[in-house]
Amino acid sequence: AQTVTQSQPEMSVQEAETVTLSCTYDTSENNYYLFWYKQPPSRQMILVIRQEAYKQQNATENRFSVNFQKAAKSFSLKISDSQLGDTAMYFCAFMKHSFMNRDDKIIFGKGTRLHILP
Amino acid sequence: DTGVSQDPRHKITKRGQNVTFRCDPISEHNRLYWYRQTLGQGPEFLTYFQNEAQLEKSRLLSDRFSAERPKGSFSTLEIQRTEQGDSAMYLCASSLARQGYTFGSGTRLTVV
């Protein structure tokens, strides 16, 4: 069974600083997808960034980028020039690639609560 | 199409009562998922549909839980004989194949 571990329950950084959220996962699969989701307080979960395991290049979306280390099973999220609106719970998530498209549920970590301080 | 809609947003019920939640996915998404999230935790998978077929159910989904997706459109999640441990946020999401989910705002259930 796949597991996702986020070792930082809570973090705080000053506005405009760069912050890195850690995530490790355990799987015996070779093809899979990794995600970071953001859940602002009392608001719905939104997808921040997505990485396909077969791609060596790290995904980037504006101020958000990942450091994907497949051998180490590590998938960290870097937020550059952090903004007050980045305050949220961040969830790392895993989904295995199924050839038969039968099993693509996403497995979530427990989350990291990120506070951006003014 | 404004995204994934869930109804109601909040539900307070007495222990032992039955409750039903509804989810309307994005219309072109063929996959629909239900998750449960308790305070301070990540979402836990409950079940998912591809079109009208329920493809997988988690062991978290006891016999008191049932989900349907008639005609492959909206879905309902029913909890019978609610217990206090059922208090949680119930999240619905939809997707196209392996593109990542679009979540609804969730239904917060409080069992008193």
Side-chain angles (χ1 to χ4, degrees):
Chain A
Q2 289 78 27
T3 59
V4 178
T5 302
Q6 295 180 248
S7 59
Q8 305 150 311
E10 196 159 1
M11 298 181 70
S12 296
V13 295
Q14 294 293 135
E15 191 177 7
E17 290 186 347
T18 295
V19 60
T20 299
L21 280 58
S22 302
C23 173
T24 58
Y25 57 94
D26 187 24
T27 184
S28 57
E29 301 290 328
N30 190 48
N31 294 322
Y32 49 87
Y33 302 84
L34 295 164
F35 308 91
W36 279 96
Y37 278 87
K38 170 184 177 181
Q39 189 175 40
S42 301
R43 296 182 63 183
Q44 68 192 87
M45 186 122 44
I46 57 174
L47 177 65
V48 175
I49 199 164
R50 173 179 177 268
Q51 175 79 43
E52 294 156 336
Y54 67 87
K55 289 186 177 179
Q56 292 186 335
Q57 186 173 7
N58 289 324
T60 299
E61 288 288 341
N62 301 313
R63 298 183 294 107
F64 299 87
S65 61
V66 298
N67 183 4
F68 174 46
Q69 301 290 326
K70 191 173 184 179
K73 297 180 182 176
S74 170
F75 184 61
S76 61
L77 174 70
K78 185 172 81 171
I79 306 174
S80 302
D81 186 27
S82 56
Q83 300 174 0
L84 296 179
D86 296 333
T87 293
M89 281 288 285
Y90 286 82
F91 294 99
C92 179
F94 171 99
M95 181 175 74
K96 73 177 182 180
H97 177 278
S98 170
F99 179 75
M100 296 298 292
N101 288 343
R102 296 288 295 190
D103 182 12
D104 63 350
K105 64 179 181 289
I106 292 180
I107 307 299
F108 289 87
K110 291 184 181 295
T112 295
R113 186 176 301 279
L114 177 65
H115 302 274
I116 308 299
L117 306 173
Chain B
D1 193 350
T2 57
V4 178
S5 299
Q6 291 190 247
D7 184 69
R9 291 292 303 274
H10 303 276
K11 178 71 176 180
I12 300 174
T13 190
K14 292 183 178 180
R15 189 173 54 186
Q17 297 294 305
N18 299 343
V19 294
T20 299
F21 310 140
R22 177 180 170 124
C23 172
D24 287 88
I26 293 173
S27 56
E28 60 265 30
H29 287 181
N30 61 350
R31 290 182 170 83
L32 185 149
Y33 307 82
W34 286 99
Y35 281 76
R36 181 172 67 188
Q37 186 179 23
T38 53
L39 199 62
Q41 299 295 313
E44 297 173 297
F45 171 76
L46 293 178
T47 188
Y48 95 91
F49 295 83
Q50 179 162 315
N51 300 314
E52 66 275 12
Q54 188 173 18
L55 296 187
E56 186 174 347
K57 291 173 61 173
S58 164
R59 282 170 286 183
L60 292 174
L61 219 62
S62 75
D63 291 344
R64 297 184 297 106
F65 288 71
S66 62
E68 295 182 343
R69 193 184 181 195
K71 303 179 182 178
S73 56
F74 71 92
S75 176
T76 58
L77 177 68
E78 181 184 17
I79 309 174
Q80 296 181 328
R81 305 181 303 281
T82 52
E83 302 172 356
Q84 286 189 321
D86 297 332
S87 294
M89 177 75 82
Y90 289 84
L91 297 171
C92 178
S94 67
S95 74
L96 289 173
R98 302 188 294 279
Q99 295 301 308
Y101 298 172
T102 300
F103 279 90
S105 298
T107 293
R108 182 169 296 284
L109 173 66
T110 302
V111 181
V112 297

